[in-house]
Amino acid sequence: MALRRRGRRRPDAGVAVDLSTTVGSVALKAPVMTASGTAGHGDELAAYVDLSTIGAVVVKSLGSGPWPGNPAPRVHPTPSGMINSVGLQGPGVTAWRERELPAVLATGATVVASIWGRHVDDFASAAEQLAGVDERVVALEVNLSCPNLDGGAHLFAHDPDATAAVLRAAAAAGLPMWAKLSANTDRVVDVAAAAHEAGAEAVTLANTLMGMVIDVDTRRPVLGAGGGGVSGPAIHPVAVRTVYDVRAALPEVPIVGVGGVVDGRTAVELLLAGASAVQVGTASFADPRSVGAVLEGVETWCSRAGVTRVRDLIGGAHG
Ligand code: SIN
């Protein structure tokens, strides 16, 4: 989808909008990115969106080696969203650098890498494999919050000390780190503080919420792994609250907001709650053009509201 150039006066005579933002030390040309796990590992969305126009492509989390993921079925629709238990299938960091990264860089995209692990050493190994990566990989999102590994047995983001240990290990990548956290815990503010203290420049709020769907005819869970993570519009108010609370408690910590972003208004809501940028995930499963449409929706909303710089919206809901 072609997007208007930044700063161009819109045909509806609204004001021109500067869409640029920053997440910690990372400057982004636009405040809308793909969410990890919803845009593949490479240029999968390039046929639908000009990836050079969005804030960044955040790739699906990569392990220290190839991993087959969880048994099928892995995704299932839910009211106003979906549930998944993909289980972090992927080629591993080194194979990704060789086989997938060149294609996404060729689109002109800014890239954010993402890693996962079962243990701290796994994160260290994955991070070491990223050292010296192309400078267009501008940040590393550290996935501390996948609910689908061994039934949720590795939810580092539920504990401040475990989160800090992972981030200290992930620093081996030499990239600005964003800690992807969980809203399944009432400790998210403590965990965000620990993540920042341990070196994360920003936190990504938040991953899917733990859930389950049971087929009443078979009397069994529909997903092959049993439980999964719920995403989409159903969890948007949870994402807004999580971003709002962390911003209120830790105004010095930059936030990337994610959860149920489907259009300009839902993206602006997260910015007003305190996010410096947002990610679009589940909407891309319904329409792979969604990330471009959301960015255009943000620009249109700002233009009509007389907002000339999108970054002026950040945290605007806090009195
Ligand atoms: C998955 O691959 O199971 C989803 C990843 C995540 O929720 O972090």
Side-chain angles (χ1 to χ4, degrees):
M1 169 177 290
L3 289 167
R4 294 178 180 86
R5 283 184 175 282
R6 190 180 76 182
R8 176 183 145 171
R9 181 165 290 278
R10 297 181 63 86
D12 60 7
V15 300
V17 182
D18 177 354
L19 291 168
S20 64
T21 188
T22 58
V23 177
S25 67
V26 178
L28 300 174
K29 64 172 78 79
V32 181
M33 302 172 247
T34 63
S36 178
T38 65
H41 292 106
D43 64 349
E44 286 89 332
L45 289 188
Y48 309 98
V49 181
D50 179 353
L51 297 176
S52 72
T53 65
I54 65 173
V57 173
V58 185
V59 303
K60 184 164 177 62
S61 302
L62 296 152
S64 57
W67 180 248
N70 286 342
R74 292 171 162 185
V75 295
H76 189 79
T78 57
S80 289
M82 58 179 266
I83 187 168
N84 93 82
S85 187
V86 174
L88 297 163
Q89 177 187 342
V93 174
T94 296
W96 171 76
R97 282 184 69 166
E98 289 169 10
R99 297 189 219 136
E100 311 253 13
L101 179 59
V104 67
L105 290 177
T107 69
T110 297
V111 176
V112 174
S114 174
I115 56 172
W116 66 273
R118 284 190 170 76
H119 309 286
V120 171
D121 288 352
D122 300 335
F123 284 93
S125 172
E128 284 160 10
Q129 293 172 50
L130 278 169
V133 74
D134 189 288
E135 64 185 13
R136 289 167 288 179
V137 179
V138 296
L140 172 62
E141 192 172 79
V142 182
N143 187 352
L144 296 135
S145 51
C146 177
N148 302 331
L149 274 179
D150 308 326
H154 306 283
L155 279 157
F156 298 90
H158 288 188
D159 182 84
D161 294 335
T163 292
V166 167
L167 288 163
R168 285 193 290 267
L175 291 167
M177 292 190 292
W178 303 349
K180 187 164 183 178
L181 304 184
S182 168
N184 286 297
T185 171
D186 64 356
R187 305 175 77 191
V188 65
V189 169
D190 292 341
V191 174
H196 194 49
E197 174 70 23
E201 287 193 4
V203 293
T204 302
L205 302 171
N207 211 319
T208 56
L209 294 178
M210 297 174 80
M212 179 178 280
V213 175
I214 291 174
D215 181 333
V216 296
D217 297 318
T218 65
R219 304 186 181 197
R220 292 289 180 271
V222 299
L223 296 179
V230 180
S231 60
I235 72 160
H236 182 65
V238 178
V240 173
R241 174 68 184 267
T242 307
V243 169
Y244 189 95
D245 285 355
V246 172
R247 168 78 179 197
L250 307 168
E252 71 282 11
V253 180
I255 298 169
V256 177
V258 55
V261 174
V262 295
D263 55 18
R265 291 185 71 88
T266 44
V268 167
E269 202 178 346
L270 281 172
L271 296 173
L272 291 171
S276 298
V278 305
Q279 298 176 347
V280 177
T282 302
S284 296
F285 283 73
D287 183 346
R289 298 168 298 183
S290 291
V291 65
V294 169
L295 178 54
E296 194 158 295
V298 170
E299 185 180 16
T300 299
W301 187 92
C302 288
S303 181
R304 290 182 180 155
V307 175
T308 56
R309 302 191 317 169
V310 77
R311 56 190 177 278
D312 290 340
L313 295 172
I314 299 166
H318 296 259

